[in-house]
Amino acid sequence: MTGLSLTARLNTAALDSRRGVIRLHPEAIAALGIREWDAVSLTGGRTTAAVVGVAPAGVPAGTALLDDVTLSNAGLREDATVVVAPVTVYGARSVTVTGSKVAQVSSGALRQALLGKVLTVGDAVSLLPRDLGSGTSAASAALAAAVGITWTSELLTVAAVDPAGPVSVQPNTAVNWGTAAAPGSAPAPAAPIPAHPHRTVSFDDLKGCHIPAAKLTEWLKLSLDQPELLTSLGAGSNLGVLVVGPAGVGKTTLVRTVCAGRRLVELDGPEVGALAPEARLAAVRDAASSVRSGGGVLLIADVEALLPSPGEPVSNLILAELRDLVATPGAAFVATSALPDTLDPRLRAPDLCDRNLGVSLPDATTRRQLLEVMLRGVPCDELDLTAIAERTPGFVAADIAALIREAALRAAARASSDGGVPRLCQDDLTGALTVIRPLSRSATEEVAVGSVTLDDVGDMVATKQALTEAVLWPLQHPDTFARLGVDPPRGVLLYGPPGCGKTFVVRALASSGRLSVHAVKGAELMDKWVGASEKAVRELFRRARDSAPSLVFLDELDALAPRRGQSTDSGVTDRVVAALLTELDGIDPLRDVVVLGATNRPDLIDPALLRPGRLEKLVFVEPPDTDARRDILRSAARSVPLAPDVDLDALAADLDGYSAADCVALLREAALTAMRRSIDAADVTAADVAAAREKVRPSLDPAQVESLREFSAGR
């Protein structure tokens, strides 16, 4: 879509100040086809990007509220015209910033301050965390200690981003200072700035991590405290451990807790990995030398950023330093990684990290326990933490902490406005769920859910029943499947004409809040480089496992998995099909992951995918009839204020040949027509709908629909 032309106004709200947020009227958000907290591009004197929030009541539909920094980044003044359009934002591999010398804090603290922000080269960005207020985070404390009272007013300039275009800062993003940070001054120091001491948690509070923590405790005790026991048995006391698990699950916290009574030297992998090769080696050498001379444990967090695969020339020297460390009596080495497949394989050699510890994703029970621990001592009303835990699939400890901080911000804002005592309530946590996106889904496109449920899916009885059995029943009734001794269905294939409601159903499933949804178009996984497409398939399913329970939605499956032996692409699609079959029904079976495929050409899909145990349920999604169109229109009209003269029943009966997507597009075009009529329009009239019908025509092909019906009859 081309975007909307709106009037830019300065947002004076203190909670949004300098945080890269644009506030829009709900009608404008609906017209853009996005949801709250999605990213948009802003075009004025220059083009930048920001995240969208709902504007306060009373703000006209044609007005966009921008904070002062975002207004400047877009090259705008108040009352100027800004073009707002949806934009795709990628997770940043690296970000380079410049600024005053006083603001040069450690890369770790800087990454925390910029976490979740949308950045474009040339933007000014503040150190204020996007979702937090001053004094509510570890980043705030570190910045206040390093910069002083002026940290809230310091502005940095984005000098470079990788990949190009708008990016968001992720937990594994390498954030470093450019050499031009302070004109006329010396460059930033080569070695990382020492981090501030981290608070450890008690062993009992390591919810879901007790088993790996106990193993690490035992290994450290035998290697560092009682090495003679191992020596007497002919074994060495060398200890190198690689702790793997999803980002934010608590790997580093686990190591810090276990090593609470020991000397612990830490290095931040992304921070050190962003340095020049010579400085990188010097940082590792200094840390290893310190541990060898004084004993203790060297911890390198996110080690894949320091020792990536394929290895770099300096990696040989870094690995040699780590080998010397592991071979030193009284010293141990521990590394953490969220992406072990991207790690230099030499780190797993017997003379380095010969032992692995896995930290799994927390289940609903563990998430409730984490909520109880983090809310201990916080003034709260009576909370239903079980309900919150069930609505946070794929959330790790870091996500739950961010959820609580967002809820605290809402409670504090309410107390500030009414002068009451700040207390957390259930609505604060529920509202925070609409803002916080878990780390496990930060690298994938989020499915826009809105308020759609399966009950809103009109007249798709077979489709809803198949998805309920394959997706919701295993989550709601796992004991029944176990009692009957059967595994739940692993996959479903939806086929039907374009726009028949396949994605609509996925949105309805996602809105339940009980599972993570990873939506990918088949063609997006294809790559011209050998092995890249298969790697993309493996990475997709890895993310799904890391955010389980989850649903993998493969749209346009015929482009990803066509019949083997008929392609002319040097066997790329054949290898992709093989990779997909391996993920669906390989040695490592899927657990709490359901695959949902969608296509309008089921005859082109490789038959091996359609056998029992894979995409075993095939469901034909019929084009909507009059009753279904009426339900679709009513659901889509929830966010669109319709005038009394709009009769949805009559409209549904008159839309023969319209698909579900056509019906939604019709109302969206009607809303845009109302905005063209008057930028301050309060509702959509029947005349607006009639004008929209001249532009939105039916898209269903009768011949294609008949062909799909014949395929369904032949199954």
Side-chain angles (χ1 to χ4, degrees):
M1 100 165 269
T2 57
L4 300 177
S5 296
L6 306 175
T7 302
R9 298 283 173 78
L10 177 64
N11 186 359
T12 58
L15 292 178
D16 291 340
S17 178
R18 300 190 165 204
R19 284 183 169 83
V21 177
I22 175 176
R23 298 282 180 178
L24 300 180
H25 192 280
E27 290 182 16
I29 295 177
L32 289 170
I34 61 176
R35 66 171 186 167
E36 189 178 14
W37 307 116
D38 280 349
V40 292
S41 67
L42 308 174
T43 303
R46 64 183 294 275
T47 298
T48 185
V51 294
V52 172
V54 175
V59 175
T63 296
L65 298 180
L66 285 72
D67 65 77
D68 52 345
V69 174
T70 306
L71 199 70
S72 175
N73 287 337
L76 296 168
R77 297 181 178 179
E78 271 204 283
D79 299 324
T81 298
V82 58
V83 178
V84 183
V87 68
T88 301
V89 175
Y90 300 94
R93 289 188 289 269
S94 67
V95 172
T96 302
V97 297
T98 62
S100 67
K101 187 175 181 180
V102 69
Q104 291 190 19
V105 296
S106 70
S107 296
L110 187 59
R111 183 169 61 250
Q112 284 185 288
L114 301 182
L115 195 66
K117 289 191 176 184
V118 178
L119 307 179
T120 304
V121 173
D123 283 353
V125 60
S126 76
L127 293 172
L128 288 168
R130 196 194 94 182
D131 60 338
L132 310 175
S134 176
T136 60
S137 71
S140 301
L143 291 165
V147 182
I149 195 172
T150 62
W151 78 271
T152 58
S153 59
E154 285 287 339
L155 291 179
L156 310 176
T157 301
V158 181
V161 297
D162 182 26
V167 299
S168 65
V169 179
Q170 306 296 316
N172 58 352
T173 299
V175 182
N176 58 294
W177 290 95
T179 55
S185 66
I193 298 175
H196 294 273
H198 295 274
R199 185 181 65 179
T200 60
V201 302
S202 68
F203 191 91
D204 291 339
D205 290 343
L206 291 176
K207 304 301 183 182
C209 299
H210 288 152
I211 294 177
K215 287 184 178 179
L216 183 58
T217 301
E218 181 181 355
W219 292 343
L220 289 173
K221 177 183 177 182
L222 292 173
S223 296
L224 301 184
D225 302 334
Q226 300 173 324
E228 67 278 0
L229 297 178
L230 294 172
T231 304
S232 66
L233 296 171
S237 60
N238 302 346
L239 181 62
V241 182
L242 179 63
V243 184
V244 299
V249 78
K251 301 181 295 295
T252 304
T253 300
L254 181 153
V255 178
R256 290 170 180 159
T257 298
V258 171
C259 298
R262 303 180 184 275
R263 183 168 179 262
L264 181 66
V265 177
E266 295 188 40
L267 288 179
D268 183 73
E271 181 178 347
V272 180
L275 301 174
E278 296 82 1
R280 206 181 312 166
L281 175 61
V284 175
R285 181 176 289 151
D286 292 344
S289 177
S290 174
V291 176
R292 284 197 300 266
S293 61
V297 180
L298 172 63
L299 169 63
I300 301 181
D302 297 318
V303 70
E304 69 274 2
L306 176 62
L307 293 168
S309 177
E312 302 173 352
V314 72
S315 298
N316 298 320
L317 301 176
I318 293 175
L319 290 169
E321 290 290 338
L322 296 177
R323 289 192 191 94
D324 291 343
L325 170 68
V326 173
T328 302
F333 170 56
V334 181
T336 70
S337 176
L339 301 170
D341 293 340
T342 65
L343 185 63
D344 192 323
R346 294 175 294 178
L347 189 66
R348 300 175 182 262
D351 56 348
L352 266 175
C353 294
D354 60 337
R355 308 184 197 190
N356 279 17
L357 276 180
V359 182
S360 60
L361 198 75
D363 56 14
T365 301
T366 303
R367 293 195 296 270
R368 179 181 56 78
Q369 294 172 346
L370 288 171
L371 284 166
E372 293 173 349
V373 170
M374 295 182 186
L375 289 173
R376 188 185 297 155
V378 177
C380 305
D381 295 337
E382 187 171 349
L383 302 175
D384 186 358
L385 297 182
T386 300
I388 301 298
E390 290 177 349
R391 293 188 58 188
T392 50
F395 276 57
V396 294
D399 301 322
I400 295 174
L403 180 73
I404 293 174
R405 292 195 297 266
E406 174 64 25
L409 184 62
R410 293 168 179 259
R414 183 176 62 253
S416 176
S417 61
D418 60 19
V421 178
R423 294 183 65 85
L424 277 182
C425 65
Q426 189 76 14
D427 289 342
D428 295 327
L429 290 171
T430 304
L433 285 172
T434 64
V435 177
I436 302 301
R437 185 179 183 185
L439 297 175
S440 59
R441 301 203 298 268
S442 61
T444 59
E445 180 182 355
E446 191 82 344
V447 177
V449 295
S451 58
V452 179
T453 66
L454 278 179
D455 294 334
D456 300 316
V457 181
D459 199 33
M460 298 173 66
V461 178
T463 304
K464 290 191 290 185
Q465 183 63 29
L467 295 179
T468 299
E469 295 174 0
V471 180
L472 297 182
W473 279 5
L475 300 178
Q476 298 170 346
H477 311 290
D479 53 335
T480 303
F481 283 92
R483 185 171 60 252
L484 296 177
V486 295
D487 295 325
R490 192 165 295 167
V492 179
L493 177 67
L494 303 181
Y495 64 97
C500 60
K502 300 182 289 291
T503 305
F504 188 72
V505 172
V506 177
R507 291 176 56 197
L509 283 172
S511 69
S512 68
R514 292 178 174 269
L515 72 165
S516 307
V517 179
H518 301 263
V520 179
K521 289 182 172 61
E524 294 176 355
L525 296 176
M526 306 302 292
D527 196 289
K528 64 180 181 179
W529 303 108
V530 176
S533 299
E534 302 94 295
K535 182 179 179 181
V537 172
R538 293 193 300 270
E539 181 65 17
L540 171 65
F541 280 87
R542 184 195 64 80
R543 292 195 302 266
R545 291 186 181 93
D546 286 349
S547 60
S550 59
L551 174 71
V552 177
F553 178 51
L554 300 175
D555 204 1
E556 302 172 5
L557 185 59
D558 53 287
L560 178 64
R563 292 176 178 267
R564 285 173 288 182
Q566 301 181 6
S567 64
T568 57
D569 55 4
S570 302
V572 174
T573 56
D574 291 356
R575 292 194 298 271
V576 170
V577 173
L580 190 58
L581 293 174
T582 301
E583 294 292 343
L584 284 170
D585 193 22
I587 296 176
D588 186 17
L590 292 176
R591 299 184 184 277
D592 296 325
V593 177
V594 179
V595 180
L596 177 61
T599 182
N600 54 27
R601 293 297 305 274
D603 54 305
L604 299 182
I605 298 175
D606 192 277
L609 276 173
L610 306 182
R611 73 160 178 79
R614 293 167 179 169
L615 302 184
E616 57 190 71
K617 287 185 173 290
L618 276 65
V619 181
F620 178 41
V621 182
E622 288 270 6
D625 56 13
T626 299
D627 292 338
R629 291 194 296 269
R630 181 180 63 249
D631 293 341
I632 293 168
L633 289 171
R634 287 177 176 174
S635 177
R638 288 180 176 177
S639 59
V640 181
L642 298 177
D645 60 349
V646 178
D647 187 349
L648 292 182
D649 292 341
L651 181 63
D654 197 32
L655 293 179
D656 190 35
Y658 279 68
S659 67
D662 296 335
C663 296
V664 176
L666 178 64
L667 288 185
R668 184 166 59 246
E669 180 62 30
L672 290 174
T673 302
M675 295 181 70
R676 298 188 191 103
R677 171 170 51 84
S678 173
I679 200 64
D680 295 323
D683 53 20
V684 177
T685 65
D688 296 327
V689 175
R693 288 195 63 181
E694 297 298 322
K695 296 184 177 181
V696 181
R697 310 302 299 172
S699 63
L700 290 177
D701 182 0
Q704 184 185 35
V705 173
E706 185 60 31
S707 174
L708 290 170
R709 286 195 175 118
E710 292 177 359
F711 179 87
S712 176
R715 298 294 301 178

